Amino acid sequence: MPLNWDLIWSSFGPIVTGAITGTIPLTLASFVIGLALALLVALMRLSRNAVVSGVARFYVSVIRGTPLLVQLFVIFYGLPSLGVKLDPWPSAIIAFSLNVGGYAAEVIRAAILSVPKGQWEAGHTIGMSRGQSLRRIILPQAARVSVPPLSNTFISLVKDTSLASLILVTELFRNAQQIAAFSQEFMALYLEAALVYWVICLALSSGQSVLERRLDRYVAH
Amino acid sequence: MPLNWDLIWSSFGPIVTGAITGTIPLTLASFVIGLALALLVALMRLSRNAVVSGVARFYVSVIRGTPLLVQLFVIFYGLPSLGVKLDPWPSAIIAFSLNVGGYAAEVIRAAILSVPKGQWEAGHTIGMSRGQSLRRIILPQAARVSVPPLSNTFISLVKDTSLASLILVTELFRNAQQIAAFSQEFMALYLEAALVYWVICLALSSGQSVLERRLDRYVAH
Amino acid sequence: MSPTDGAAHSGAHGATSQARPVLSVRNLAKAFGSNVVLRDIDLDVRRGNVVALIGPSGSGKTTVLRSLNGLETPDAGTVTFAGPGTSAGPGTDLALDFSARVSKKEISDLRDRSAMVFQHYNLFPHMTVLQNVIEGPVQVQKRKRAEAVAEAEKLLARVGLADKRDAYPFELSGGQQQRVGIVRALALKPQLLLFDEPTSALDPELVGDVLAVIQELADEGWTMVIVTHELAFARQVADEVIFMDGGLVVERGPAAEVLRAPRQERTRQFVRRLLHEF
Amino acid sequence: MSPTDGAAHSGAHGATSQARPVLSVRNLAKAFGSNVVLRDIDLDVRRGNVVALIGPSGSGKTTVLRSLNGLETPDAGTVTFAGPGTSAGPGTDLALDFSARVSKKEISDLRDRSAMVFQHYNLFPHMTVLQNVIEGPVQVQKRKRAEAVAEAEKLLARVGLADKRDAYPFELSGGQQQRVGIVRALALKPQLLLFDEPTSALDPELVGDVLAVIQELADEGWTMVIVTHELAFARQVADEVIFMDGGLVVERGPAAEVLRAPRQERTRQFVRRLLHEF
Amino acid sequence: GGGGSQTPAASSSDTSLSDVKSKGEIVVATEGTYKPFSFHAEGAGDLTGYDVEIARAVAEKLGVKATFQETQFDGIFAGLDAKRFDTIANQISINDERKAKYDFSKPYTVSTGVIVTKADNNSITGFDSLKGKTTAQSLTSNFYKMAVDAGANVQSVEGWAQGVALVRQGRVDAIVNDKLTYLDYAKTNPDAGLKIAAETTEKSESAFVFRKGSTELTKAVDKALDDLRTDGTLAKISEKYFGTDVTK
Ligand SMILES: Nc1ncnc2c1ncn2[C@@H]1O[C@H](COP(=O)(O)OP(=O)(O)OP(=O)(O)O)[C@@H](O)[C@H]1O
Ligand SMILES: Nc1ncnc2c1ncn2[C@@H]1O[C@H](COP(=O)(O)OP(=O)(O)OP(=O)(O)O)[C@@H](O)[C@H]1O
Ligand SMILES: [Mg+2]
Ligand SMILES: [Mg+2]
């Protein structure tokens, strides 16, 4: 592949800017909100109330069973006909958070279930309520188990945010596409965008390692 | 959202056809090949040889760290400049298999590691080699653990195959887009496509349940 | 380290002088689906007494303990704790009738009366030894942290673990973990201590240390129910031994009688099997 | 169910008449990193003899067994098995010198000489009882399936598990699982059986059954090395008892001597602790 | 009315023009990745292009500001439906399907379709020889339909750049597209080895698109286009991008 190095060099600026002003904040905001939502949904799925757990199951099924592109589309272009007109950024954050919520809910649910039942019982025997046991005993342990799968969700999210350009949010990949459209050098620009994504993911992976080491300090090695 | 029901009704044909002739075979072929690749990569990552495990780690990192779109583009539009010119279907199957290979490798690696060390030792004590123990003792048990995360990969793949339309493979989403472009009814058609994806994913989920029940027959309930 | 009510007691082996037992269980029954696990269990434990529960696997011993600690909800029967709870519990008797619906509040009150020591310790792996011990007093009983720490340190020193204060459970041997488990229970100052096979997950050499600690607690007058397979220990520490089989109390009486000269054939068989005369 | 070489033997407790031991270990040494686990271990096991290995936790007992079975590679020392291997092994002596590099083939040959029974059974959970037992004979020793099945059924009947042939391990009690573990080892017809605390994960009541099976194997003349904490059992079954501590053999001799009247203070201490006189 | 023109008072149901006026801006949807019609100067600079400049000029005539929203083609009509945009400036060609759903202004581009092949390909000489040949089209253009009607085996691609890449790699026989797009490409890639194999006789016309019933706004834009044509602005913009007047 003969690459146009001048073009690649000069387009680093816009692409990295797109990452910093678009991709990264969008990813972070959606991930944080999505995690909170996922915890809620995971607890709903674990509820003994069939309606509550049914609602949660349906939500997870729809989110995981339909394309993210369509989810974005519905929130940005579909909701206005129901009188809800959100700006691009709020729409994007809502859509990606809902998406993370669906995927991460299953991870968190599995992590909660992976904590031995004896831990709940130990919480109860010292007088804790279900909520207290969950908060102080179960979730801190579930956190450890769920870091690797959640970081997968995180890394997928980084790349998925490129879809936000469909709803007018400017980010890394959109900037690469713009330059590609001007220069007709789409291969070079896409490779360059991929490189920047890769660097972001490498940074995330090393962050994951640090976090895992921190959370692993209380288990035998 | 006022929907054009006539259009939706008449477009079911092409969309379902796209699913049957494009989405589903592409997904199945890529998943099977990708799993075989993933097993190989997982074993490489578990190798004590630093070069072998380093190569595997690099592969996984690149696959997971870069957008699937770019991977498809490199294989279809990029490789010809190195003299490798593949047709759309082979390109798509290679790209998606490589992608599944990267994601599933981590799942399989974790599943292999989750089988207690005592199982390897029991294999050895009855005289088995590493390969024999792996094949007859470890992998059958790892299979059980890896079904839920692999079915996640599978479900993601179903929707990811829509990207194949960018390298000239006609599938479900492409057919929906075409009809949408002619009728300008993007919202209706995208919702319809989402519904078909959802049905496919629901079918997969129930297949997953059956498989899990089968594999769980030898554990306490 | 003494029973929290601080009352004098008549020693581990004598009959206590108090008329009303601390714990009184009547007609306790429990089934899991169609599997009837407890039928009509009666149990009285007097203050300062030690009751040993023995019996074959599946006989329902664990289910009895779990019912007393509110970890299992029986289908029928009554559980009564006498007098004011020792910690933040209510001021008077606590009487639960499981034949009727019991509320969450009642289960919670029941839990406050006793504390369980588990076979597999069930320490909180993400907390240090000290944090494990003060978690209940501080988070549940809302006691002052400094006070809880001081007390925890005293208790830890008492079981020989003063220097392990800041260790994580995984850094301890099984016997050390179980001693922390005991201290965690003691720190709650419950009316009743429940032990479910506290030494059966331990390396044989580590069993002695834990049994010694339990023996000391008995000598100090703590009220306890202990499920154990260590017959020699039961004989030495228990005021009363109860032998269960198939969800029924088959035989009960002073330790020496039940263990040395069982009246029932089933008890005799069980004792013989435990000494595994193969 | 008898040792596969079928030779007559002089009984479990008598000294054997054969001059050369089946297994001969000299100067075995092993360190994990800087942690020296075995230093200079010598061991001889004669045909039909039973050696019991006792000692505190971490003394290296398991490491010795694992080294004999090729699950651990020692740093130095020699392991010699006398005569032709009983199964598909080589026709003559097998002598490994761990001071030099040993090949994969040698490790594999070593494994064929012995079979291990694990503390936690380590049955294959995805295979039925029968499949567990015939896996080695059929897949590794390439024996005829029908023949292997017939033999497996005989062995299972022998340990009272004929009717569990098609059960999965999770459907068995611990004692039953361990008996399957023993049968799986026997089916390989090894020269030497290795037991690593075969009863310490069992419910106390289930210990007796498993010990009875091992006792029978000893009576039939199988050659065995057993790591155990059941001192009464060791006294009864073993021809020789070896007491290890800190990676060294501290004391060895006839069971009666070492266990009743240990010469070394460390041995005395250990025996006392095991009886946990708290 | 504004801009000095004498527009009839808006009917009570059609507030399309008054809305724009009261906002002080007209929201224009465009792809931003469609050279030379809608793109970023030097790739990363300001949004510019033929359609963009014309939209700006029209807005100025209307006395409002042109605010551009860049989206992918998928979202352009959905966004117009959802009232996120007032109009689209993205070389939307007028056809019957679209006219049934939307209002169009007067055309501001008149162009022809061309079949582009490799320079050494002599097998394609006109639309009738496309039958059985493979062409690469993007969904955005109505040249897609033209190729289908001609009996070609049509492959959809992401855009012009990918389509051209396929022709140059010899993986498709031709690409049918706007002559203007090709001319711009040929200008920057003179040695691409491509040629125009045939040209349509039929003209295709592109215009601004509005929601149905935006009669007032459409009329005002038509008026603005007329004025721009009269004062030579349209021709000037066209000359700048194409060296010729493509506005009629
Ligand atoms: N959560 C549960 N669900 C269903 N059955 C249960 C449950 N817990 C216990 N059982 C059943 O109740 C019976 C009594 O169990 P329990 O644990 O009380 O016996 P145990 O006397 O403590 O035995 P062990 O000595 O093995 O601990 C057993 O048959 C057991 O299978
Ligand atoms: N794989 C390993 N890596 C590092 N250290 C090990 C390993 N296996 C054993 N050790 C160490 O070797 C020493 C001896 O262990 P070993 O298991 O042989 O003792 P043991 O006598 O069997 O004890 P136990 O009665 O607890 O089973 C211990 O200090 C242990 O921590
Ligand atoms: Mg129990
Ligand atoms: Mg050991």
Side-chain angles (χ1 to χ4, degrees):
Chain A
M1 285 172 262
L3 295 177
N4 181 338
W5 290 105
D6 278 353
L7 177 72
I8 289 180
W9 189 243
S10 67
S11 49
F12 254 115
I15 289 181
V16 171
T17 305
I20 292 171
T21 62
T23 305
I24 293 173
L26 185 53
T27 303
L28 290 179
S30 307
F31 194 68
V32 170
I33 301 171
L35 270 193
L37 181 64
L39 177 59
L40 179 75
V41 175
L43 293 176
M44 286 173 68
R45 278 220 52 183
L46 291 170
S47 161
R48 258 159 288 178
N49 182 320
V51 175
V52 171
S53 79
V55 167
R57 182 191 298 266
F58 180 78
Y59 163 74
V60 169
S61 165
V62 168
I63 291 289
R64 305 204 322 166
T66 61
L68 178 51
L69 171 75
V70 177
Q71 295 165 18
L72 276 164
F73 218 80
V74 168
I75 287 174
F76 190 72
Y77 295 115
L79 285 190
S81 71
L82 303 177
V84 181
K85 198 150 135 191
L86 299 163
D87 279 343
W89 269 83
S91 299
I93 290 177
I94 289 173
F96 288 114
S97 299
L98 285 172
N99 199 262
V100 168
Y103 280 89
E106 290 299 282
V107 170
I108 292 178
R109 174 170 154 265
I112 289 176
L113 288 174
S114 79
V115 178
K117 236 182 86 213
Q119 290 292 312
W120 285 101
E121 301 188 339
H124 290 329
T125 207
I126 65 170
M128 286 183 164
S129 64
R130 255 186 85 81
Q132 264 181 316
S133 298
L134 182 74
R135 215 172 52 247
R136 302 218 21 113
I137 310 298
I138 305 301
L139 288 183
Q141 296 181 55
R144 220 191 102 246
V145 187
S146 53
V147 166
L150 284 181
S151 75
N152 274 352
T153 308
F154 199 19
I155 282 178
S156 295
L157 178 63
V158 172
K159 293 169 293 158
D160 286 344
T161 54
S162 66
L163 287 175
S165 67
L166 177 67
I167 62 168
L168 321 188
V169 172
T170 302
E171 39 62 70
L172 193 169
F173 204 69
R174 168 77 193 175
N175 285 351
Q177 276 179 319
Q178 274 176 16
I179 302 168
F182 175 76
S183 63
Q184 309 286 357
E185 294 264 16
F186 66 94
M187 203 65 236
L189 269 301
Y190 283 13
L191 280 174
E192 188 172 353
L195 181 70
V196 176
Y197 278 114
W198 191 42
V199 170
I200 296 174
C201 291
L202 285 179
L204 283 180
S205 297
S206 68
Q208 176 191 348
S209 304
V210 171
L211 188 61
E212 276 181 16
R213 229 169 299 128
R214 229 191 95 75
L215 289 171
D216 272 0
R217 74 188 182 285
Y218 62 78
V219 295
H221 309 284
Chain B
M1 287 171 261
L3 295 178
N4 181 339
W5 291 104
D6 279 353
L7 178 72
I8 288 180
W9 189 243
S10 67
S11 51
F12 253 114
I15 289 181
V16 171
T17 305
I20 293 170
T21 62
T23 304
I24 294 174
L26 185 54
T27 303
L28 290 179
S30 307
F31 194 67
V32 170
I33 300 172
L35 272 193
L37 182 63
L39 176 59
L40 179 74
V41 175
L43 293 176
M44 286 173 68
R45 279 221 50 182
L46 292 168
S47 161
R48 259 160 286 177
N49 182 320
V51 175
V52 170
S53 79
V55 167
R57 181 190 298 265
F58 180 78
Y59 163 75
V60 169
S61 165
V62 169
I63 291 290
R64 306 203 323 165
T66 60
L68 178 51
L69 171 73
V70 178
Q71 295 165 18
L72 276 164
F73 267 45
V74 167
I75 289 173
F76 188 71
Y77 288 111
L79 284 191
S81 68
L82 302 177
V84 181
K85 204 151 107 185
L86 298 164
D87 279 344
W89 269 83
S91 299
I93 290 178
I94 290 174
F96 289 115
S97 299
L98 286 172
N99 198 262
V100 168
Y103 281 89
E106 291 299 283
V107 170
I108 293 177
R109 175 171 154 264
I112 289 176
L113 288 174
S114 79
V115 177
K117 235 182 88 213
Q119 291 291 313
W120 285 101
E121 300 188 341
H124 289 329
T125 206
I126 65 170
M128 286 184 164
S129 64
R130 254 185 87 81
Q132 264 181 315
S133 299
L134 182 74
R135 215 171 53 247
R136 301 216 25 112
I137 311 297
I138 305 301
L139 288 183
Q141 296 181 54
R144 221 192 101 246
V145 188
S146 54
V147 166
L150 284 181
S151 75
N152 274 353
T153 308
F154 199 20
I155 282 178
S156 296
L157 178 62
V158 171
K159 294 170 294 160
D160 286 344
T161 53
S162 67
L163 287 176
S165 66
L166 296 177
I167 62 167
L168 317 190
V169 173
T170 302
E171 40 62 70
L172 194 170
F173 204 69
R174 162 60 46 168
N175 284 352
Q177 270 181 322
Q178 266 176 21
I179 301 169
F182 276 107
S183 63
Q184 328 312 329
E185 293 271 12
F186 282 93
M187 183 59 70
L189 270 300
Y190 281 14
L191 281 174
E192 188 174 352
L195 181 70
V196 176
Y197 278 114
W198 191 41
V199 169
I200 296 175
C201 291
L202 285 179
L204 282 181
S205 297
S206 67
Q208 177 190 348
S209 304
V210 171
L211 188 61
E212 277 180 17
R213 229 169 300 128
R214 230 192 94 74
L215 289 172
D216 271 0
R217 74 188 183 286
Y218 62 80
V219 296
H221 309 284
Chain C
M1 190 161 83
S2 68
T4 48
D5 52 5
H9 62 282
S10 55
H13 291 266
T16 57
S17 50
Q18 280 185 293
R20 283 178 68 216
V22 172
L23 168 69
S24 185
V25 175
R26 287 293 171 275
N27 306 109
L28 206 66
K30 171 82 183 168
F32 289 107
S34 62
N35 180 13
V36 179
V37 171
L38 298 182
R39 333 163 181 250
D40 224 19
I41 301 284
D42 290 354
L43 181 68
D44 286 313
V45 187
R46 289 174 196 285
R47 174 121 64 105
N49 267 19
V50 176
V51 172
L53 222 52
I54 65 170
S57 182
S59 58
K61 308 178 298 293
T62 295
T63 308
V64 169
L65 283 204
R66 291 168 58 83
S67 299
L68 297 180
N69 197 220
L71 294 176
E72 215 72 77
T73 308
D75 302 330
T78 59
V79 173
T80 313
F81 275 90
T86 44
S87 65
T92 54
D93 279 15
L94 174 72
L96 267 67
D97 183 354
F98 288 102
S99 314
R101 227 187 113 72
V102 295
S103 66
K104 272 194 183 175
K105 169 86 178 73
E106 284 174 304
I107 291 286
S108 163
D109 288 344
L110 181 64
R111 273 189 191 137
D112 290 342
R113 298 292 183 130
S114 63
M116 178 92 99
V117 175
F118 299 90
Q119 177 176 7
H120 293 285
Y121 336 133
N122 295 3
L123 296 185
F124 304 129
H126 58 302
M127 297 182 182
T128 63
V129 165
L130 184 72
Q131 287 167 339
N132 263 278
V133 176
I134 65 172
E135 182 73 7
V138 172
Q139 295 293 329
V140 180
Q141 302 180 344
K142 307 291 177 200
R143 284 159 56 194
K144 287 215 188 65
R145 208 191 127 85
E147 187 192 302
V149 168
E151 217 162 296
E153 286 179 334
K154 238 182 278 168
L155 289 170
L156 286 171
R158 196 69 185 68
V159 301
L161 292 175
D163 56 329
K164 298 293 183 185
R165 206 191 103 124
D166 297 318
Y168 282 101
F170 82 91
E171 299 170 296
L172 305 182
S173 76
Q176 291 170 330
Q177 289 192 50
Q178 191 57 298
R179 280 180 278 157
V180 175
I182 293 173
V183 167
R184 182 174 67 178
L186 294 178
L188 298 166
K189 305 186 183 174
Q191 273 183 292
L192 180 64
L193 286 172
L194 305 168
F195 293 83
D196 191 6
E197 302 193 29
T199 61
S200 65
L202 296 179
D203 269 2
E205 306 155 69
L206 306 177
V207 168
D209 293 343
V210 172
L211 292 184
V213 167
I214 300 175
Q215 174 74 66
E216 281 177 20
L217 297 177
D219 294 343
E220 283 166 19
W222 285 86
T223 314
M224 311 196 261
V225 180
I226 306 179
V227 174
T228 185
H229 284 292
E230 300 278 347
L231 296 191
F233 171 72
R235 194 155 54 208
Q236 182 167 341
V237 78
D239 297 288
E240 186 184 16
V241 170
I242 296 183
F243 174 68
M244 288 181 64
D245 195 8
L248 285 166
V249 171
V250 172
E251 184 162 357
R252 67 171 91 214
E257 278 176 31
V258 175
L259 293 175
R260 284 198 204 157
R263 273 165 294 153
Q264 304 293 325
E265 174 54 25
R266 269 193 283 176
T267 318
R268 252 194 298 276
Q269 260 181 7
F270 174 75
V271 171
R272 224 179 9 238
R273 274 180 80 81
L274 259 205
L275 302 173
H276 35 80
E277 295 154 355
F278 42 87
Chain D
M1 190 158 85
S2 69
T4 47
D5 52 4
H9 63 283
S10 54
H13 290 267
T16 57
S17 51
Q18 282 185 290
R20 283 178 67 215
V22 171
L23 169 69
S24 186
V25 175
R26 288 291 170 275
N27 307 110
L28 207 66
K30 171 81 182 168
F32 290 107
S34 63
N35 180 15
V36 179
V37 170
L38 299 182
R39 332 162 181 252
D40 224 21
I41 302 285
D42 291 355
L43 180 68
D44 285 312
V45 187
R46 288 173 197 285
R47 176 124 63 105
N49 267 17
V50 176
V51 172
L53 222 52
I54 66 170
S57 182
S59 58
K61 308 178 298 294
T62 295
T63 308
V64 168
L65 285 204
R66 291 168 58 83
S67 300
L68 296 180
N69 197 221
L71 294 176
E72 216 72 78
T73 308
D75 302 330
T78 59
V79 172
T80 313
F81 276 88
T86 44
S87 65
T92 54
D93 280 15
L94 174 72
L96 267 68
D97 182 355
F98 289 103
S99 314
R101 228 187 115 72
V102 295
S103 66
K104 274 194 181 174
K105 171 86 178 72
E106 284 173 305
I107 291 285
S108 163
D109 289 344
L110 181 64
R111 271 187 193 140
D112 290 341
R113 298 292 183 132
S114 64
M116 178 93 98
V117 175
F118 299 91
Q119 177 175 8
H120 294 284
Y121 336 134
N122 294 5
L123 297 186
F124 305 128
H126 59 301
M127 297 182 182
T128 63
V129 165
L130 183 72
Q131 288 168 339
N132 263 277
V133 176
I134 65 172
E135 182 72 7
V138 173
Q139 296 293 330
V140 180
Q141 301 180 345
K142 307 292 177 199
R143 283 159 58 193
K144 288 216 188 65
R145 207 190 129 85
E147 187 192 301
V149 168
E151 218 163 295
E153 286 178 334
K154 238 182 277 168
L155 289 169
L156 287 171
R158 196 69 186 68
V159 300
L161 293 175
D163 57 328
K164 297 294 183 186
R165 206 192 102 122
D166 297 318
Y168 282 101
F170 82 91
E171 299 171 294
L172 305 182
S173 75
Q176 292 171 329
Q177 290 192 50
Q178 191 57 297
R179 280 179 278 157
V180 175
I182 293 173
V183 167
R184 181 174 68 179
L186 293 179
L188 297 166
K189 305 187 182 172
Q191 273 183 293
L192 179 65
L193 285 172
L194 305 169
F195 293 84
D196 191 6
E197 303 193 28
T199 62
S200 65
L202 295 179
D203 269 2
E205 306 155 68
L206 306 177
V207 168
D209 293 343
V210 172
L211 291 184
V213 167
I214 300 175
Q215 174 74 66
E216 280 176 21
L217 297 177
D219 293 345
E220 282 166 19
W222 285 86
T223 315
M224 312 196 263
V225 178
I226 307 179
V227 173
T228 185
H229 284 293
E230 300 278 347
L231 297 192
F233 171 72
R235 193 156 53 211
Q236 183 166 340
V237 78
D239 298 288
E240 185 183 15
V241 169
I242 296 183
F243 174 68
M244 288 182 63
D245 195 8
L248 283 167
V249 172
V250 173
E251 183 162 358
R252 69 171 92 214
E257 277 177 30
V258 175
L259 294 176
R260 287 201 200 153
R263 272 165 294 153
Q264 303 293 327
E265 174 55 25
R266 270 194 281 176
T267 317
R268 253 194 300 275
Q269 259 180 9
F270 173 74
V271 171
R272 224 179 9 238
R273 274 180 82 81
L274 259 205
L275 302 173
H276 36 79
E277 296 155 355
F278 42 86
Chain E
S5 63
Q6 200 56 43
T7 42
S11 73
S12 58
S13 61
D14 179 11
T15 59
S16 56
L17 182 61
S18 55
D19 285 350
V20 165
K21 296 251 168 176
S22 61
K23 278 188 297 181
E25 65 169 7
I26 181 164
V27 180
V28 185
T30 191
E31 281 186 282
T33 51
Y34 189 14
K35 206 180 161 214
F37 307 105
S38 166
F39 64 100
H40 285 257
E42 302 308 314
D46 292 335
L47 181 68
T48 185
Y50 172 75
D51 287 48
V52 170
E53 288 203 29
I54 290 185
R56 282 208 180 102
V58 167
E60 199 177 327
K61 284 281 177 214
L62 295 182
V64 296
K65 190 168 131 261
T67 303
F68 292 93
Q69 298 279 23
E70 292 176 62
T71 180
Q72 291 160 27
F73 192 77
D74 299 24
I76 274 191
F77 285 96
L80 188 65
D81 293 342
K83 302 195 171 131
R84 289 194 174 273
F85 322 126
D86 298 313
T87 188
I88 303 170
N90 201 62
Q91 284 293 298
I92 304 296
S93 40
I94 303 170
N95 64 29
D96 292 341
E97 290 87 359
R98 286 174 183 161
K99 269 204 290 208
K101 276 199 73 187
Y102 301 98
D103 286 348
F104 279 90
S105 71
K106 291 181 176 166
Y108 59 83
T109 319
V110 179
S111 176
T112 53
V114 291
I115 304 174
V116 177
T117 64
K118 271 191 164 174
D120 56 4
N121 182 338
N122 297 317
S123 66
I124 296 173
T125 52
F127 274 81
D128 42 351
S129 57
L130 270 185
K131 196 171 174 64
K133 295 283 194 288
T134 308
T135 72
Q137 310 296 144
S138 59
L139 279 177
T140 52
S141 73
N142 68 328
F143 302 105
Y144 189 100
K145 195 160 175 288
M146 232 178 250
V148 171
D149 292 345
N153 168 19
V154 177
Q155 303 281 10
S156 328
V157 291
E158 199 186 3
W160 167 258
Q162 285 81 8
V164 165
L166 290 177
V167 174
R168 292 177 64 177
Q169 290 173 355
R171 301 164 105 180
V172 298
D173 300 309
I175 179 168
V176 182
N177 211 305
D178 195 310
K179 187 178 180 182
L180 300 175
T181 310
Y182 172 72
L183 290 177
D184 178 73
Y185 180 78
K187 206 162 65 189
T188 44
N189 298 271
D191 42 4
L194 300 175
K195 67 168 184 193
I196 293 179
E199 193 166 344
T200 54
T201 45
E202 202 180 321
K203 303 279 180 190
S204 102
E205 299 178 328
S206 304
F208 292 104
V209 192
F210 306 93
R211 278 183 296 281
K212 261 259 172 287
S214 303
T215 318
E216 297 302 329
L217 182 57
T218 310
K219 273 191 203 153
V221 169
D222 281 347
K223 169 86 176 40
L225 281 171
D226 286 343
D227 292 349
L228 291 169
R229 194 177 300 280
T230 314
D231 68 15
T233 309
L234 286 190
K236 212 175 84 203
I237 295 172
S238 177
E239 290 284 345
K240 174 176 168 191
Y241 285 95
F242 308 109
T244 168
D245 186 1
V246 300
T247 64
K248 52 187 189 243

